[in-house]
């Protein structure tokens, strides 16, 4: 990560894992750090789930994957500026806490893909982990076992 100097305006780039709002990329877009820097076990599980989802006519699109710490901080600062600290922290973790920064979380769309993963993801060890984020998934159980209880939000 390049040094961020005081007064420098940070703008997230593809190298930070940035994916534009409204864009969904493929689990096979290995040239994107958002995909290639994910935990390999999570990526393999997601690709296996995608193959099964395709049998049901569902496409799993990636709206966010790995993020640099600077990008995560930028997301948090941006959200605090628009909705205030309390609401922002319910949805955006700090860089130290974020499972996206460690490569252990992935955000999926569209809605039918989210429903599919919530229903069948546990067969691959994939679980929704925050009650208020139906798009956010992590490896959280042994494949074929139940998912653990969800945390209320990114702050809990
Ligand atoms: Zn997420």
């Amino acid at each position: 990560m390049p040094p961020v100097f005081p007064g420098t305006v940070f703008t997230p780039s593809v190298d930070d894992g940035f994916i534009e709002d409204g864009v969904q990329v493929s689990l096979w877009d290995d040239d994107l750090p958002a995909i290639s820097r994910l935990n390999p076990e999570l990526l393999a599980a997601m690709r296996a789930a995608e193959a099964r989802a395709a049998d049901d006519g569902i496409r799993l699109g990636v709206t966010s994957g790995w993020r640099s710490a600077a990008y995560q901080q930028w997301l948090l600062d941006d959200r605090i500026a628009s909705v205030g600290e309390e609401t922002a922290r319910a949805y955006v973790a700090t860089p130290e806490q974020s499972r996206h920064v460690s490569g252990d979380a992935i955000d999926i769309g569209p809605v039918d893909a989210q429903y599919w993963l919530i229903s069948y993801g546990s067969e691959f060890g994939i679980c929704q982990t925050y009650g208020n984020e139906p798009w956010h998934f992590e490896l959280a159980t042994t494949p074929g076992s139940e998912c653990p209880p969800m945390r209320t939000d990114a702050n809990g």
Side-chain angles (χ1 to χ4, degrees), residues 64-65 67 91 100 105-107 130 133 135-138:
S64 195
R67 301 172 190 151
Y91 286 94
H100 284 280
I106 192 164
D107 294 346
Y130 297 122
E133 297 190 15
W135 54 84
H136 175 104
F137 297 91
E138 302 176 16

Side-chain angles (χ1 to χ4, degrees), residues 2 17 21 36-37 41-42 54 63 70 73 89 113-115 120 133 140 145 150 156:
D21 274 355
S36 64
R37 298 191 69 168
E41 288 181 39
L42 172 61
T63 59
Q73 185 67 53
R89 287 194 183 279
Q114 295 166 3
Y115 284 148
Y120 303 111
E133 297 190 15
S145 298
M150 284 180 260

Side-chain angles (χ1 to χ4, degrees), residues 70-138:
Y71 177 22
Q72 185 71 28
Q73 185 67 53
W74 179 86
L75 283 171
L76 182 57
D77 292 345
D78 184 66
R79 193 69 72 92
I80 288 172
S82 61
V83 299
E85 179 131 13
E86 189 179 344
T87 304
R89 287 194 183 279
Y91 286 94
V92 186
T94 64
E96 293 75 24
Q97 295 168 330
S98 174
R99 303 278 288 169
H100 284 280
V101 173
S102 64
D104 293 307
I106 192 164
D107 294 346
I108 294 296
V111 170
D112 64 348
Q114 295 166 3
Y115 284 148
W116 192 95
L117 259 189
I118 289 167
S119 299
Y120 303 111
S122 65
E123 293 177 28
F124 306 90
I126 298 163
C127 300
Q128 178 190 352
T129 53
Y130 297 122
N132 68 338
E133 297 190 15
W135 54 84
H136 175 104
F137 297 91
E138 302 176 16

